[in-house]
């Protein structure tokens, strides 16, 4: 157990050294893979041929618990072998409170794309693993950088509309997961290396939140550092955080998704050159576990601020978050009122007299036809803007009470040119042919 994580109230973090023992293949008997935990070290025995690992092998090696260091270590070595990742690494587990995470510390820089693919399999086959990170040296001075992927982000990369954990259901599902990883072609960008504590905290909030909330045109964060603790090369930050993703709605720049004030524990790693990058990002559990997880994660001195931020703290967080939106507007030469969804009027179709049944039917139409303007147009009578391959488009929902029609339109922002339009009967909800 790492003493430095005693700050997390009995954190269950385990460091495990993985070593390939190529001279013990004859002792494997029926199993090609073997793990023995000896005094905190997991020793891996690997078959001679890298290609010998199969989808069935990986399926059989799946584990329910990331805290099962022996089982997790075995799976890591198998996955590394499958993706031809030969660089030696040690393993660190974050099992204080959910979401649980796995981190691999490499002695040499691995193939980042291969590690990205390997992470998909690790997240899929370790049932309660929510993220995988890996770090590696970037120079001879001991400076390191890291990459990170969450199960949400990985689901987006696989782009099949399935929860990553579903691929652990059978050997055939694992085989499908392996085939999907081959379609991943763009390696992740390393975590930001910041020059100050505030910059490092900002980077952590933005990078973690962007995989959780809807991605819109601009994102912003706010944070208040409540307390910090230092140990060796780590800085543990206890903070109040806020995140917002902004979109143009009816000409206003609106927080379309994001969070309120959320307490977070952010563990930062300090490089020899003084730069900082975030290592672990933890927030309290939801529901009836919220209070207990605050007490497990945070020192008692900040419990009250975590439970109930005061009005000034909330105001400061909102101001900081909005400052990102304001800065973005300046970069694109736009002026707009910045606010939250509730700050603006969003007249619904049902308020204009359209039945709930028809309104719901139109929602289904948008989901069933992702290329239709109805898929992106707002659910209210108005418009939103989207950037697509660098071109700005306006998606609008209009209601013609006289003709009893609901019209969804996509047009270019700059020219007003209509790119596509679909019309629905406001009484039946059926699509109508547009008269030309």
């Amino acid at each position: 157990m790492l003493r430095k994580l005693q700050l997390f109230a009995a954190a269950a973090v385990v460091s495990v050294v993985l070593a390939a023992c190529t001279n013990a293949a004859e002792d494997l008997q029926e199993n090609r893979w073997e793990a023995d935990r000896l005094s905190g070290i997991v020793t891996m025995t690997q078959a001679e041929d890298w290609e010998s690992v199969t989808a069935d092998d990986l399926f059989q090696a799946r584990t329910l618990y990331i805290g099962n260091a022996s089982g997790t270590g075995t799976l890591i070595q198998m996955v590394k072998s499958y993706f031809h990742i030969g660089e030696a690494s040690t393993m660190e587990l974050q099992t204080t409170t959910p979401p649980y995470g796995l981190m691999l510390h490499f002695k040499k820089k691995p193939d980042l794309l291969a590690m990205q693919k390997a992470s998909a399999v690790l997240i899929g086959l370790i049932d309660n693993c929510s993220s995988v990170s890996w770090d590696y040296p970037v120079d001879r001075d001991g400076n390191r950088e890291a990459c990170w992927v969450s199960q949400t982000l990985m689901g987006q990369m696989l782009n099949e509309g399935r929860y990553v954990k579903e691929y652990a259901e059978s050997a055939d599902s694992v085989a499908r997961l392996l085939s999907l990883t081959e379609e991943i072609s763009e390696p992740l960008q390393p975590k930001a290396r910041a020059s100050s504590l505030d910059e490092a905290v900002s980077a952590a909030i933005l990078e973690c939140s962007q995989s959780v909330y809807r991605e819109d045109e601009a994102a912003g964060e706010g944070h208040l550092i409540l307390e910090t603790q230092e140990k060796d090369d780590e800085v543990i930050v206890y903070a109040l955080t806020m995140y917002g993703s902004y979109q143009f709605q009816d000409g206003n720049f609106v927080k379309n998704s994001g969070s309120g004030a959320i307490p977070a524990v952010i563990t930062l790693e300090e490089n020899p050159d003084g730069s900082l990058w975030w290592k672990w990002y933890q927030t309290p559990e939801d529901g009836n576990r919220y209070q207990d997880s605050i007490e497990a994660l945070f020192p008692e001195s900040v419990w009250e601020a975590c439970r109930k931020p005061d009005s000034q703290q909330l105001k400061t967080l909102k101001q900081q978050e909005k400052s990102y939106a304001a800065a973005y507007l300046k970069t694109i030469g736009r002026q707009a009122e910045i606010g939250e969804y509730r700050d603006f009027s969003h007249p619904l179709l049902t308020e204009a007299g359209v039945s709930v049944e028809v309104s719901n039917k139109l929602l289904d139409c948008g989901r069933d036809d992702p290329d239709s303007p109805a898929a992106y147009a707002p659910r209210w009578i108005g418009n939103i803007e989207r950037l697509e391959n660098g071109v700005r488009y306006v998606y609008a929902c209009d209601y013609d009470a006289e003709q009893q029609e609901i019209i969804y339109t996509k047009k270019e922002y700059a020219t007003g040119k209509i790119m596509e339009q679909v019309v629905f009967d406001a009484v039946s909800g059926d699509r109508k042919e547009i008269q030309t």
Side-chain angles (χ1 to χ4, degrees), residues 243-400:
Y243 175 83
S245 182
Y246 287 80
Q247 175 190 65
F248 282 105
Q249 298 179 357
D250 303 324
N252 305 306
F253 207 38
V254 183
K255 181 174 179 176
N256 190 44
S257 65
S259 73
I262 298 179
V265 180
I266 305 169
T267 303
L268 305 175
E269 190 82 11
E270 185 174 7
N271 276 323
D273 66 0
S275 62
L276 295 159
W277 51 271
W278 67 271
K279 182 178 180 181
W280 301 115
Y281 191 98
Q282 296 171 275
T283 57
E285 297 178 67
D286 293 330
N288 59 13
R289 287 283 304 159
Y290 187 77
Q291 179 64 36
D292 289 342
S293 59
I294 282 179
E295 294 180 6
L297 286 169
F298 295 84
E300 187 173 358
S301 56
V302 301
W303 285 356
E304 187 58 31
C306 292
R307 292 190 192 106
K308 191 176 181 180
D310 62 39
S311 59
Q312 184 56 50
Q313 289 171 325
L314 293 174
K315 181 179 178 180
T316 300
L317 292 172
K318 290 179 180 180
Q319 288 175 337
Q320 290 179 1
E321 182 194 283
K322 283 186 175 181
S323 70
Y324 282 81
Y328 176 77
L329 290 176
K330 285 186 178 180
T331 65
I332 63 171
R334 289 275 295 268
Q335 290 185 342
E337 188 173 349
I338 302 169
E340 299 189 22
Y341 184 89
R342 63 174 176 264
D343 296 331
F344 306 100
S345 174
H346 294 83
L348 300 177
L349 287 168
T350 52
E351 295 171 348
V354 177
S355 70
V356 173
E357 290 75 19
V358 168
S359 179
N360 290 339
K361 186 176 181 178
L362 294 177
L363 286 175
D364 292 335
C365 291
R367 284 191 290 262
D368 295 341
D369 185 2
D371 295 325
S372 166
Y376 296 107
R379 299 304 101 191
W380 66 89
I381 301 170
N383 65 73
I384 63 100
E385 297 177 24
R386 279 174 53 89
L387 290 174
E388 299 174 5
N389 298 319
V391 179
R392 184 178 296 277
Y393 295 97
V394 178
Y395 287 85
C397 171
D398 294 297
Y399 176 57
D400 187 329

Side-chain angles (χ1 to χ4, degrees), residues 58-59 61-64 75 120-127 167-168 174:
L58 293 169
F59 175 68
R62 72 195 187 283
T63 179
L64 289 174
L75 182 61
V121 180
L122 292 171
I123 291 173
L125 298 185
I126 304 173
D127 191 62
Y167 295 101
V174 175

Side-chain angles (χ1 to χ4, degrees), residues 1 14-17 35-43 69-70:
M1 194 68 64
V14 184
S15 282
V16 185
V17 177
D36 293 315
R37 188 174 184 180
L38 301 172
S39 303
I41 297 177
V42 172
T43 302
S70 176

Side-chain angles (χ1 to χ4, degrees), residues 89-239:
S89 63
T90 59
M91 173 178 78
E92 186 176 343
L93 309 177
Q94 190 293 106
T95 55
T96 312
T97 63
Y100 301 132
L102 163 67
M103 188 163 200
L104 297 181
H105 305 291
F106 282 93
K107 294 183 178 180
K108 294 181 180 179
K109 184 177 181 178
D111 183 311
L112 299 187
L113 189 58
M115 261 308 302
Q116 191 170 331
K117 296 175 180 180
S119 297
V121 180
L122 292 171
I123 291 173
L125 298 185
I126 304 173
D127 191 62
N128 66 345
C129 178
S130 296
S131 66
V132 172
S133 303
W134 60 97
D135 69 331
Y136 46 87
V138 291
D139 55 36
R140 295 182 179 180
D141 297 326
N143 295 301
R144 302 177 72 83
E145 65 183 14
C147 295
W148 166 85
V149 64
S150 68
Q151 60 182 343
T152 304
L153 184 58
M154 184 53 69
Q156 295 168 1
M157 292 178 189
L158 298 176
N159 196 30
E160 200 174 53
R162 294 177 65 184
Y163 182 49
V164 180
K165 304 297 183 183
E166 293 178 20
Y167 295 101
E169 293 175 352
S170 67
D172 287 342
S173 294
V174 175
R176 176 58 182 164
L177 174 59
L178 293 172
S179 69
L180 287 173
T181 64
E182 295 309 311
E183 299 176 17
I184 299 175
S185 58
E186 293 294 328
L188 290 164
Q189 291 299 310
K191 296 178 181 180
R193 290 169 60 186
S195 59
S196 71
L197 186 67
D198 271 316
E199 288 178 2
V201 171
S202 295
I205 297 168
L206 290 171
E207 291 177 12
C208 287
S209 299
Q210 284 169 355
S211 72
V212 176
Y213 300 102
R214 182 181 303 156
E215 184 177 1
D216 291 303
E217 190 163 337
E221 61 81 30
H223 67 267
L224 291 171
I225 296 175
L226 303 174
E227 191 172 312
T228 62
Q229 297 178 353
E230 297 184 23
K231 181 64 177 180
D232 299 328
D233 295 328
E234 287 187 347
V235 180
I236 301 172
V237 179
Y238 303 97

